Structures are given as structure tokens and as C-alpha cells.
Amino acid sequence: MYVMETYKRLPVRFVKGEGVYLYDDQGRKYLDFLAGIAVNALGYADPELTKAICDQAQSLLHISNLFENPWQEDLAKELVDSFWTSGKVFFCNSGAEANEGAIKLVRRYFYEKGEKRYRIITFYSSFHGRTFGAMSATAQEKIQKGFEPLLEGFDYAELNNFDSVLRALKKETAGIMLEVIHGEGGIKEAEGEFLQKIQELCRKEGLLLIVDEVQTGIGRTGKFYAYEHYSLQPDIITLAKGLGGGVPIGAVLAKDEVAKAFKAGSHGSTFGGNPLACRASMVVVRRVRELLPQVQRVGEYFKRKLQELGVGKVRGKGLMLGLELERNCSELVQKALEKGLVINCTAEKVLRFVPPLIVEEKHIDQAIEILRHIL
Ligand code: PLP
């Protein structure tokens, strides 16, 4: 009654979770294949994550970014050294904020170089968030409608259509921003050849490549960062969702040469990377690294089982899978819920599956049984 109606909420009230299961206020148990929309990487009530959060809450929840923050240093080192070449990290609180930071960093990088480049090419059916920059980058009418005028400086192209990218290119183009798998857009995968051409174009034209890993990152697709599947070399990547395993945190990672465009005072966030969020994230990142072989194995098993259902096109990688049906799927989400399975419908006809990364084959079997039943 007092909360704005920005979401159409399903009639269920979850009160606790354990592993890959959720429980409602009637004591009913649900298998969760949504994980807070690709957030709860370690599932619910993970003992190690819970302990880290409790310990940190007992000593220091928050300090300003005006002071030294060793938790940020440790987490940034882990994100860069273990998985990237070299670079630096800016911490924020969400995916939209991470993309805002990335857009600002691109502009600032070219400003520092004395070049008048600020435009960014993005893609139809992408999703980058709801703030003004991120929304303007999101080439979807339903997201932007009624909020015009949008932020200037975005040119839209079609995923897997390189000619459309060339058509969008202007002398002020500064970068190309993409998701290697469109999450909200319906689990649409970029093709390897297309991505290689994008990479070559960026090198040739001196453009920055920004990969939005907010949904695909932190092990979701079976590699720590999804761009690794395609041997891309992004200049900037953005993270959020799974990064904190349920504690809000976002991050912008940038190569050293790009990162140095942000100086003291260029950008900031009161909460970004506070001790609680970083401490939680450190547990998630380390654990996800160990989970990667399991994500690959279980993901392949799940994909095969979905294909065997023979009811639609199956897309995606690891534990980010979509099943495209020939009809609107929102009603199926309700039916699945009644049978004790939490899923989600995106882009109208695509059932999206993004379970916690701890999910095992036995849980896949349970979910497939429910899906077989409702489909
Ligand atoms: N980028 C991608 C690829 C996303 O999937 C999302 C959220 O769904 C966002 C950005 C926005 O993240 P947030 O909702 O944390 O602002």
C-alpha cells in the first residue's frame, strides 16, 4: 500500500531460505531457480557467508571512502589478480551504478586524452539498468518510454549484426558496451565471430570495449567472467548481482590506462565498497572460484535436460539458461510457483533459469519434473 508499484509481485511471502530452497510464511518449501535474479550465488544461509557478515557487523559496518579501506583493497586485488590482467576497481552498490560509472569513465578517459569522443554504441534488447545513463544505454522502448529526453550519446545496433555496428559508428564514438549474453533481453547469446569483429573494430578505431557482466559475471556462465568464453579483452567490465551473494555491491573494473582517468573527486559513492559488502563479497568470490567446475558440469546437464523436454529453443551458458516458448510465459511462472518451483519469464516468451551456483544434478531433476508437468 505504501510501496510504489514498480514491480508486479507474485502472491507469495518468503520468510527464510536454506541452500537452494526457500520457505514461505505457510511453511511451504520451494526450489529456487531464480536466486534473487542471479544474485544469491551461494544460495541461502550459507554458513561461511553468514559468519563473515555477522563478524563484520560486530566490528565495523561502514566507514567513509575518505578513509583507508583494506577490505576494498583485498577484494579489488582478488577480482583483478585472479581473473584479469592488471587494472583497478571502483566500488558502488548496484548494476546500474556500475554502468553509470563505466559511462562516466569512458567520457573522462577521452577528455583526459583531449579527444572529443563521448558516444557509446549499445544494442537492442540489452539491459544496463534504470538510472539515466544506464537507461539511455538500454535500447528498449519499454524501458525508456515516458522518460525522454534521454541522456545524449548512445547509438544503437543489432546484436550479431556487424554491419549495424559499422552504421552506428561516428567520429565521436568512444566505446562499445555489450552483454555477451543478453539477460533481461531473453538469454540471447552474442556469436563468437561477431564479438571478435567487435574486438578488432575497437582496436582499429581506438574504442573502449565495455562488457556489462552484471548478470553474466561471478561464475554464472561457468567461467568467472563470461567474456572469457570468447577470449575478449575488455577495457572495462561492470559487476553487481552475484558479487555480494545477496549483499548489495557493484564494481567497475578498468585497465590501468583507462582507470587513471578517474582522479580524486572525479566520481564517488557514500556506501560503495563498505567493509560489510566487501567482506561478504570476498567470501563469495573465493567460493565461486572453487564452484566453477560444478557450474559447468551442472549447467551442461541442465541444458541437455531442457533440450530433452523438446518444447522450445534452449539458450545460454552455465547456469544462465533460457527456454524460448511460442507463447507468453508469465502464466507458467505462476503455475511453477504453485508446484514449488521459483522461475521467471523474461522478454515475454523466455523462461529464465538462474539458480544459485551451488545447485546440483538432483535439483535439476526436481525442476525438470515440475517443468514437464506444467508444460
Ligand atoms: N546490467 C545487466 C546486464 C543487468 O541484468 C542488470 C539487472 O538486471 C543491470 C545491469 C542493472 O542492475 P541493478 O538492478 O543492480 O541496477
PDB file of all heavy atoms in Angstrom, residues 15 51 53 64 70 105-106 110 139 150 215 219 238 244 246 250 301-302 326 373:
ATOM      1  N   VAL A  15       9.897 -16.328   3.836  1.00  0.00           N
ATOM      2  CA  VAL A  15      10.370 -15.899   5.160  1.00  0.00           C
ATOM      3  C   VAL A  15      11.765 -16.434   5.513  1.00  0.00           C
ATOM      4  O   VAL A  15      12.436 -15.893   6.369  1.00  0.00           O
ATOM      5  CB  VAL A  15       9.373 -16.285   6.285  1.00  0.00           C
ATOM      6  CG1 VAL A  15       8.111 -15.451   6.181  1.00  0.00           C
ATOM      7  CG2 VAL A  15       9.012 -17.765   6.252  1.00  0.00           C
ATOM      8  N   LYS A  51      28.622 -16.081   8.564  1.00  0.00           N
ATOM      9  CA  LYS A  51      29.573 -15.781   9.645  1.00  0.00           C
ATOM     10  C   LYS A  51      30.377 -14.515   9.319  1.00  0.00           C
ATOM     11  O   LYS A  51      30.562 -13.648  10.183  1.00  0.00           O
ATOM     12  CB  LYS A  51      30.507 -16.984   9.867  1.00  0.00           C
ATOM     13  CG  LYS A  51      31.470 -16.767  10.995  1.00  0.00           C
ATOM     14  CD  LYS A  51      32.265 -18.009  11.353  1.00  0.00           C
ATOM     15  CE  LYS A  51      33.157 -17.785  12.564  1.00  0.00           C
ATOM     16  NZ  LYS A  51      34.001 -16.608  12.550  1.00  0.00           N
ATOM     17  N   ILE A  53      29.507 -12.017   7.473  1.00  0.00           N
ATOM     18  CA  ILE A  53      28.640 -10.834   7.614  1.00  0.00           C
ATOM     19  C   ILE A  53      28.445 -10.489   9.096  1.00  0.00           C
ATOM     20  O   ILE A  53      28.561  -9.330   9.495  1.00  0.00           O
ATOM     21  CB  ILE A  53      27.278 -11.068   6.915  1.00  0.00           C
ATOM     22  CG1 ILE A  53      27.473 -11.178   5.397  1.00  0.00           C
ATOM     23  CG2 ILE A  53      26.284  -9.956   7.242  1.00  0.00           C
ATOM     24  CD1 ILE A  53      26.240 -11.660   4.633  1.00  0.00           C
ATOM     25  N   SER A  64      33.565   5.866   5.814  1.00  0.00           N
ATOM     26  CA  SER A  64      33.512   6.643   4.578  1.00  0.00           C
ATOM     27  C   SER A  64      34.672   6.273   3.672  1.00  0.00           C
ATOM     28  O   SER A  64      35.744   5.835   4.127  1.00  0.00           O
ATOM     29  CB  SER A  64      33.595   8.122   4.939  1.00  0.00           C
ATOM     30  OG  SER A  64      33.975   8.843   3.804  1.00  0.00           O
ATOM     31  N   PRO A  70      40.959  -1.419   3.822  1.00  0.00           N
ATOM     32  CA  PRO A  70      41.696  -2.617   3.397  1.00  0.00           C
ATOM     33  C   PRO A  70      40.797  -3.693   2.788  1.00  0.00           C
ATOM     34  O   PRO A  70      41.253  -4.492   1.973  1.00  0.00           O
ATOM     35  CB  PRO A  70      42.350  -3.115   4.692  1.00  0.00           C
ATOM     36  CG  PRO A  70      41.621  -2.458   5.797  1.00  0.00           C
ATOM     37  CD  PRO A  70      41.061  -1.175   5.270  1.00  0.00           C
ATOM     38  N   LEU A 105      33.455   6.955 -16.901  1.00  0.00           N
ATOM     39  CA  LEU A 105      34.888   6.686 -17.080  1.00  0.00           C
ATOM     40  C   LEU A 105      35.288   6.803 -18.552  1.00  0.00           C
ATOM     41  O   LEU A 105      36.344   7.340 -18.874  1.00  0.00           O
ATOM     42  CB  LEU A 105      35.224   5.294 -16.524  1.00  0.00           C
ATOM     43  CG  LEU A 105      36.689   4.877 -16.526  1.00  0.00           C
ATOM     44  CD1 LEU A 105      37.575   5.860 -15.754  1.00  0.00           C
ATOM     45  CD2 LEU A 105      36.855   3.471 -15.948  1.00  0.00           C
ATOM     46  N   VAL A 106      34.425   6.309 -19.450  1.00  0.00           N
ATOM     47  CA  VAL A 106      34.705   6.388 -20.889  1.00  0.00           C
ATOM     48  C   VAL A 106      34.837   7.866 -21.291  1.00  0.00           C
ATOM     49  O   VAL A 106      35.802   8.263 -21.950  1.00  0.00           O
ATOM     50  CB  VAL A 106      33.566   5.711 -21.701  1.00  0.00           C
ATOM     51  CG1 VAL A 106      33.692   6.014 -23.180  1.00  0.00           C
ATOM     52  CG2 VAL A 106      33.567   4.202 -21.466  1.00  0.00           C
ATOM     53  N   PHE A 110      38.527   9.947 -22.571  1.00  0.00           N
ATOM     54  CA  PHE A 110      38.783  10.692 -23.803  1.00  0.00           C
ATOM     55  C   PHE A 110      38.979  12.182 -23.517  1.00  0.00           C
ATOM     56  O   PHE A 110      39.754  12.842 -24.206  1.00  0.00           O
ATOM     57  CB  PHE A 110      37.679  10.428 -24.841  1.00  0.00           C
ATOM     58  CG  PHE A 110      37.852   9.082 -25.477  1.00  0.00           C
ATOM     59  CD1 PHE A 110      37.077   7.994 -25.095  1.00  0.00           C
ATOM     60  CD2 PHE A 110      38.833   8.879 -26.440  1.00  0.00           C
ATOM     61  CE1 PHE A 110      37.264   6.743 -25.651  1.00  0.00           C
ATOM     62  CE2 PHE A 110      39.032   7.631 -27.015  1.00  0.00           C
ATOM     63  CZ  PHE A 110      38.242   6.566 -26.619  1.00  0.00           C
ATOM     64  N   ALA A 139      18.723  -0.113 -25.053  1.00  0.00           N
ATOM     65  CA  ALA A 139      17.933   0.169 -26.260  1.00  0.00           C
ATOM     66  C   ALA A 139      16.628  -0.635 -26.276  1.00  0.00           C
ATOM     67  O   ALA A 139      16.444  -1.550 -27.078  1.00  0.00           O
ATOM     68  CB  ALA A 139      18.770  -0.114 -27.496  1.00  0.00           C
ATOM     69  N   LEU A 150      16.268  11.528 -23.124  1.00  0.00           N
ATOM     70  CA  LEU A 150      17.258  10.623 -22.548  1.00  0.00           C
ATOM     71  C   LEU A 150      18.641  11.286 -22.545  1.00  0.00           C
ATOM     72  O   LEU A 150      18.823  12.341 -23.152  1.00  0.00           O
ATOM     73  CB  LEU A 150      17.313   9.344 -23.389  1.00  0.00           C
ATOM     74  CG  LEU A 150      15.992   8.580 -23.501  1.00  0.00           C
ATOM     75  CD1 LEU A 150      16.144   7.406 -24.455  1.00  0.00           C
ATOM     76  CD2 LEU A 150      15.537   8.088 -22.134  1.00  0.00           C
ATOM     77  N   GLN A 215      25.036  -9.464 -14.934  1.00  0.00           N
ATOM     78  CA  GLN A 215      24.288 -10.721 -14.788  1.00  0.00           C
ATOM     79  C   GLN A 215      25.152 -11.947 -15.124  1.00  0.00           C
ATOM     80  O   GLN A 215      25.028 -12.995 -14.506  1.00  0.00           O
ATOM     81  CB  GLN A 215      23.044 -10.697 -15.690  1.00  0.00           C
ATOM     82  CG  GLN A 215      22.099 -11.829 -15.415  1.00  0.00           C
ATOM     83  CD  GLN A 215      20.657 -11.573 -15.848  1.00  0.00           C
ATOM     84  OE1 GLN A 215      19.942 -12.512 -16.098  1.00  0.00           O
ATOM     85  NE2 GLN A 215      20.206 -10.351 -15.920  1.00  0.00           N
ATOM     86  N   GLY A 219      30.962 -16.165 -12.176  1.00  0.00           N
ATOM     87  CA  GLY A 219      30.772 -17.606 -12.331  1.00  0.00           C
ATOM     88  C   GLY A 219      29.458 -18.053 -12.941  1.00  0.00           C
ATOM     89  O   GLY A 219      29.273 -19.244 -13.213  1.00  0.00           O
ATOM     90  N   THR A 238      31.771  -4.340 -15.896  1.00  0.00           N
ATOM     91  CA  THR A 238      30.940  -3.914 -14.768  1.00  0.00           C
ATOM     92  C   THR A 238      30.334  -5.149 -14.106  1.00  0.00           C
ATOM     93  O   THR A 238      29.983  -6.126 -14.777  1.00  0.00           O
ATOM     94  CB  THR A 238      29.825  -2.958 -15.224  1.00  0.00           C
ATOM     95  OG1 THR A 238      29.070  -3.571 -16.271  1.00  0.00           O
ATOM     96  CG2 THR A 238      30.393  -1.652 -15.712  1.00  0.00           C
ATOM     97  N   GLY A 244      27.969  -9.873  -4.421  1.00  0.00           N
ATOM     98  CA  GLY A 244      27.857  -9.857  -2.959  1.00  0.00           C
ATOM     99  C   GLY A 244      27.052 -11.020  -2.412  1.00  0.00           C
ATOM    100  O   GLY A 244      26.803 -11.097  -1.209  1.00  0.00           O
ATOM    101  N   GLY A 246      24.063 -11.464  -2.321  1.00  0.00           N
ATOM    102  CA  GLY A 246      22.843 -11.001  -1.648  1.00  0.00           C
ATOM    103  C   GLY A 246      23.063  -9.691  -0.913  1.00  0.00           C
ATOM    104  O   GLY A 246      22.118  -8.984  -0.594  1.00  0.00           O
ATOM    105  N   GLY A 250      28.387  -3.303  -6.193  1.00  0.00           N
ATOM    106  CA  GLY A 250      28.673  -3.279  -7.629  1.00  0.00           C
ATOM    107  C   GLY A 250      30.120  -2.863  -7.821  1.00  0.00           C
ATOM    108  O   GLY A 250      30.765  -2.366  -6.884  1.00  0.00           O
ATOM    109  N   TYR A 301      24.414 -30.351 -17.853  1.00  0.00           N
ATOM    110  CA  TYR A 301      23.381 -31.349 -17.548  1.00  0.00           C
ATOM    111  C   TYR A 301      21.996 -30.719 -17.673  1.00  0.00           C
ATOM    112  O   TYR A 301      21.085 -31.271 -18.308  1.00  0.00           O
ATOM    113  CB  TYR A 301      23.620 -31.874 -16.121  1.00  0.00           C
ATOM    114  CG  TYR A 301      22.632 -32.913 -15.647  1.00  0.00           C
ATOM    115  CD1 TYR A 301      22.726 -34.232 -16.090  1.00  0.00           C
ATOM    116  CD2 TYR A 301      21.615 -32.572 -14.750  1.00  0.00           C
ATOM    117  CE1 TYR A 301      21.817 -35.190 -15.651  1.00  0.00           C
ATOM    118  CE2 TYR A 301      20.706 -33.520 -14.311  1.00  0.00           C
ATOM    119  CZ  TYR A 301      20.816 -34.827 -14.758  1.00  0.00           C
ATOM    120  OH  TYR A 301      19.917 -35.766 -14.330  1.00  0.00           O
ATOM    121  N   PHE A 302      21.862 -29.531 -17.093  1.00  0.00           N
ATOM    122  CA  PHE A 302      20.579 -28.809 -17.104  1.00  0.00           C
ATOM    123  C   PHE A 302      20.173 -28.479 -18.547  1.00  0.00           C
ATOM    124  O   PHE A 302      19.024 -28.691 -18.954  1.00  0.00           O
ATOM    125  CB  PHE A 302      20.733 -27.538 -16.264  1.00  0.00           C
ATOM    126  CG  PHE A 302      19.467 -26.791 -15.973  1.00  0.00           C
ATOM    127  CD1 PHE A 302      18.214 -27.369 -16.151  1.00  0.00           C
ATOM    128  CD2 PHE A 302      19.514 -25.480 -15.492  1.00  0.00           C
ATOM    129  CE1 PHE A 302      17.039 -26.670 -15.869  1.00  0.00           C
ATOM    130  CE2 PHE A 302      18.357 -24.768 -15.207  1.00  0.00           C
ATOM    131  CZ  PHE A 302      17.121 -25.366 -15.406  1.00  0.00           C
ATOM    132  N   GLU A 326       6.691 -20.706 -27.559  1.00  0.00           N
ATOM    133  CA  GLU A 326       5.955 -19.980 -28.605  1.00  0.00           C
ATOM    134  C   GLU A 326       4.780 -19.191 -28.041  1.00  0.00           C
ATOM    135  O   GLU A 326       3.932 -18.732 -28.781  1.00  0.00           O
ATOM    136  CB  GLU A 326       5.506 -20.957 -29.687  1.00  0.00           C
ATOM    137  CG  GLU A 326       6.705 -21.326 -30.519  1.00  0.00           C
ATOM    138  CD  GLU A 326       6.454 -22.248 -31.638  1.00  0.00           C
ATOM    139  OE1 GLU A 326       5.301 -22.711 -31.766  1.00  0.00           O
ATOM    140  OE2 GLU A 326       7.410 -22.521 -32.364  1.00  0.00           O
ATOM    141  N   HIS A 373       5.691 -31.242 -16.036  1.00  0.00           N
ATOM    142  CA  HIS A 373       4.299 -31.245 -15.582  1.00  0.00           C
ATOM    143  C   HIS A 373       3.533 -30.014 -16.077  1.00  0.00           C
ATOM    144  O   HIS A 373       2.448 -30.133 -16.648  1.00  0.00           O
ATOM    145  CB  HIS A 373       4.278 -31.279 -14.042  1.00  0.00           C
ATOM    146  CG  HIS A 373       2.984 -31.724 -13.490  1.00  0.00           C
ATOM    147  ND1 HIS A 373       2.709 -33.063 -13.294  1.00  0.00           N
ATOM    148  CD2 HIS A 373       1.898 -31.027 -13.124  1.00  0.00           C
ATOM    149  CE1 HIS A 373       1.482 -33.148 -12.817  1.00  0.00           C
ATOM    150  NE2 HIS A 373       0.977 -31.938 -12.717  1.00  0.00           N
TER     151      HIS A 373
END
